[in-house]
Amino acid sequence: HTTTTLSSRARRSTSIARDMSASQGFRRTAQSALRGAMAQGSSAGSRMSPTTAIGGAPFAARECNATPFGARSISLQAVQIRMKSVGNIQKITKAMKMVAASRLKGAETRAKQSRALVQPFVRLLGDTPAVEVEGETLVVPITSDKGLCGGINTTVVKYTKVLNEMNGGAAALDVIGEKARSQIARLFPKQINDVIVDTTKQPLTFATVCGIADTIMSKNAPKTHLIYNRFQSAIAFKPTVATILSNDELEKVAEEGVNAFDTYEIEGPDRSEFLLDLAEFKMGALLYNAMLENNTSELGSRMQSMESSSKNAGEMLNKLTLLYNRTRQAAITTELIEIISGASALEAKK
């Protein structure tokens, strides 16, 4: 009796092993056939999906629009690489936003304090951009040395183009900032006299600005326009044009009564020498204020740009994560469908 029981168990074990071997062989055959069908569809230029490859069986994870033409599904490795790169970019933009925000408060304080230098000159000599002068007008666009700060540099270049056209297309240009040089050099390559860069690597001082003002005033231009972005708030910047006249033009304007210079009693040197000193000091004061205002606007604009970039990177990362999960689920579901199809075929044969 014991011998009969052992032999029957052995026969059942042999039968189970034979069925398992047949199931595995059928699974390998089904997988080979499926790959061959997909390769044939890809070479014919058609798009194959798990749904169409397995007799129209239901399949929840449809192909994404990002899948290359003729491919079964997008590579998980490619999605992972893209997710990593987007995540690194998001870290960089967040860091740049924090740096700009930390520097903004100090720059705003210095810019507002420098306005006290400009206001007395405006009350005394006025701001007369429409005064007609004899000679070549000098235009000084002030921009940043670095990018990733929105469209403030492009705005300055547009104003420079307009002022050049108002002066018959023959205005001389002294460019401050690397970003303006690259754009203006394409528009007016023969009108650029000097280019001054790297002014914000160190904290800007009035002595540094006076050296730049001496370079600008050495051209002896009768009228000089400073173009910059005036800081209003962290999200608002106003393009501004400040006008500085030479001492000869200031004297002509004062005689015509355009400004309030003759309403003051002047003591000290003669009139021409005093106007020369005022013109030089006005150039230094307005240039100092303009460079501080533009630097503050640059930091505010960069902070907003980096915030928008971080937000966009986060949205893209969420989309890539969803695509990765769907692609991974599609691969798992496909394997399950192949196994179930093989098992169903074996049961049908029995």
Side-chain angles (χ1 to χ4, degrees):
H1 178 72
T2 304
T3 304
T4 306
T5 303
L6 291 175
S7 59
S8 62
R9 289 180 179 176
R11 284 194 298 271
R12 284 198 300 271
S13 300
T14 304
S15 177
I16 292 172
R18 189 183 302 109
D19 292 342
M20 291 178 63
S21 177
S23 176
Q24 292 177 355
F26 182 81
R27 179 184 175 184
R28 287 193 294 269
T29 303
Q31 289 178 346
S32 301
L34 182 61
R35 293 192 187 97
M38 289 183 61
Q40 183 179 1
S42 175
S43 61
S46 61
R47 184 185 293 268
M48 297 288 292
S49 65
T51 301
T52 57
I54 307 179
F59 182 58
R62 299 289 181 181
E63 283 186 296
C64 180
N65 293 331
T67 306
F69 182 78
R72 179 178 183 180
S73 62
I74 193 168
S75 172
L76 289 177
Q77 185 178 6
V79 179
Q80 285 179 327
I81 293 173
R82 185 70 183 277
M83 289 170 62
K84 185 177 180 180
S85 64
V86 173
N88 292 336
I89 292 173
Q90 187 181 33
K91 292 178 182 178
I92 294 173
T93 54
K94 286 183 177 179
M96 293 183 67
K97 175 193 172 182
M98 294 176 62
V99 171
S102 65
R103 295 175 56 190
L104 179 62
K105 185 61 179 178
E108 181 181 357
T109 301
R110 290 191 296 272
K112 290 182 178 179
Q113 290 175 350
S114 68
R115 294 174 185 175
L117 289 172
V118 178
Q119 293 170 359
F121 284 104
V122 175
R123 290 195 299 265
L124 177 63
L125 303 176
D127 188 16
T128 54
V131 172
E132 295 183 0
V133 297
E134 295 181 1
E136 190 178 45
T137 301
L138 180 63
V139 179
V140 183
I142 302 173
T143 59
S144 63
D145 292 317
K146 299 178 181 179
L148 301 177
C149 55
I152 61 173
N153 295 324
T154 304
T155 303
V156 171
V157 173
K158 289 180 179 178
Y159 273 67
T160 304
K161 185 177 179 181
V162 171
L163 284 176
N164 182 65
E165 293 176 354
M166 291 175 61
N167 289 277
L173 300 173
D174 278 0
V175 180
I176 299 178
E178 180 66 32
K179 291 303 175 180
R181 177 175 67 173
S182 58
Q183 298 185 48
I184 294 177
R186 293 193 298 266
L187 298 173
F188 319 110
K190 297 181 180 180
Q191 297 174 228
I192 299 177
N193 294 330
D194 294 318
V195 178
I196 303 169
V197 297
D198 297 335
T199 57
T200 56
K201 282 190 173 181
Q202 300 294 332
L204 192 66
T205 61
F206 190 74
T208 304
V209 174
C210 287
I212 300 174
D214 289 340
T215 303
I216 295 174
M217 295 197 70
S218 64
K219 309 298 188 303
N220 295 321
K223 183 169 65 172
T224 303
H225 293 298
L226 303 179
I227 308 174
Y228 63 96
N229 289 281
R230 182 180 176 86
F231 179 81
Q232 292 183 326
S233 67
I235 58 174
F237 324 103
K238 183 178 180 181
T240 306
V241 179
T243 305
I244 301 100
L245 300 178
S246 64
N247 59 320
D248 295 335
E249 296 299 328
L250 281 176
E251 189 168 359
K252 293 180 181 178
V253 170
E255 291 175 355
E256 295 173 358
V258 176
N259 56 32
F261 179 76
D262 287 336
T263 60
Y264 293 86
E265 295 182 0
I266 307 299
E267 295 182 0
D270 59 358
R271 182 186 179 91
S272 60
E273 185 178 353
F274 187 72
L275 285 173
L276 177 61
D277 294 339
L278 281 178
E280 293 177 352
F281 192 55
K282 182 181 180 181
M283 171 65 78
L286 264 67
L287 185 60
Y288 180 62
N289 172 255
M291 294 182 71
L292 287 177
E293 294 274 3
N294 196 81
N295 183 44
T296 308
S297 301
E298 175 193 351
L299 294 174
S301 181
R302 179 173 290 116
M303 186 179 68
Q304 295 300 318
S305 299
M306 293 302 101
E307 183 178 1
S308 299
S309 299
S310 300
K311 182 180 178 181
N312 294 337
E315 293 177 355
M316 183 177 293
L317 192 59
N318 292 336
K319 292 180 181 179
L320 289 173
T321 303
L322 182 61
L323 174 62
Y324 176 80
N325 292 334
R326 284 180 175 176
T327 306
R328 183 171 58 87
Q329 184 183 5
I332 296 172
T333 307
T334 302
E335 295 295 331
L336 291 175
I337 290 174
E338 292 173 355
I339 295 173
I340 294 172
S341 300
S344 300
L346 285 176
E347 292 179 359
K349 286 185 176 181
K350 291 182 180 181

